[in-house]
Amino acid sequence: MSLHTDALRDHACLIVHGPDQPGLVAAVTALITRHRANIVSLDQYSDNPEGGAFFQRVVFHRTDLAAAVDEIEDDLARTLEPYGMQWRLTDQSVPKRMAILSSTSDHCLLELLWRHRRGELNVSIPMVVSNHTVSAEDVRSFGIPFFHVPSSGADKSVAEAEILKLLTGNVDFVVLARYMQILSDDFLEKLGVPVINIHHSFLPAFVGAGPYKKAKERGVKLIGATSHYVTKDLDEGPIIEQDVTRVDHSMTASDLQSRGAYVERAVLSRAVQWHAEDRVIRHGNHTIVF
């Protein structure tokens, strides 16, 4: 169980977004007050106060939250409908169910499992699915179920169907921890939950195999990583987090890969944490991260 669970008991997170207009903040805060709740944090952003888009994240505490949720949601629907706003309300003490897909590289996978065990990620992990077995024992040592679903050849439909059987109805989002398979549009549509990916930021300059070798040959001075939501357009989904680190001429391609793996682990962990805490709002092909 996440260490967050007790600390976040009776805490709710309200996400509101839609067309910016006067009175939104007052309407939301007044609603929270009506339900005898106390605001813990409030973040908001408008991309243009004259006809732009408005985004807000409010965390509030309300004693016996579970008993009041239905009433609060009914009030939200009535209050925000005239403004044309979209909203969602989540109980912060309920960890999101996160499945992990991985291949042979285990640095991102093990980082997530380690942070989860330490209580740093407010998630539960019902399973890890991999197209290889190299990490099976490591995963099971964390007490997490491991499923091997081979995937080879051009036709991935059989493997994707097997993975869908495992995931459907059992997860709230999926993380690709260096899962070296391209997910089909059909798979993403049937899955129906957010998918978060991580890759080195050499794309598209160093596509294909051996990106760190190519980066070494070009004499790069910065390497980095990008975590984003997966969409039907390969590696072009809304970006959640990015980071870089400096490198120099004395480093080998192997040194670059090791340094890059460190950045990948950190970037993916932050993206997962922010998603799990409802800090990310998708807007078109970009994100607002509070």
Side-chain angles (χ1 to χ4, degrees), residues 88 96 172-176 183 188 193-199 226-241 268 270-289:
R88 70 176 186 268
K96 288 180 172 57
D172 298 307
F173 71 107
V174 175
V175 176
L176 307 183
L183 302 177
L188 294 173
V193 300
V195 179
I196 296 173
N197 192 23
I198 182 72
H199 63 65
T226 298
S227 184
H228 63 92
Y229 289 111
V230 176
T231 64
K232 295 179 180 180
D233 298 315
L234 183 63
D235 292 333
E236 294 185 13
I239 292 172
I240 306 170
E241 171 64 338
L268 182 58
R270 290 198 293 267
V272 167
Q273 180 178 357
W274 295 342
H275 177 86
E277 294 177 353
D278 297 299
R279 294 184 177 276
V280 186
I281 304 175
R282 294 173 64 163
H283 181 58
N285 201 45
H286 71 278
T287 60
I288 288 83
V289 182

Side-chain angles (χ1 to χ4, degrees), residues 180-195:
M180 307 306 290
Q181 301 289 316
I182 297 175
L183 302 177
S184 70
D185 296 353
D186 183 64
F187 177 89
L188 294 173
E189 184 175 347
K190 289 179 178 177
L191 180 60
V193 300
V195 179

Side-chain angles (χ1 to χ4, degrees), residues 4-11 61-62 65 91-93:
H4 290 267
T5 303
D6 287 338
L8 293 177
R9 181 173 289 116
D10 291 333
H11 284 69
H61 174 270
R62 203 284 192 185
L65 174 66
D91 184 339
Q92 294 288 278
S93 70

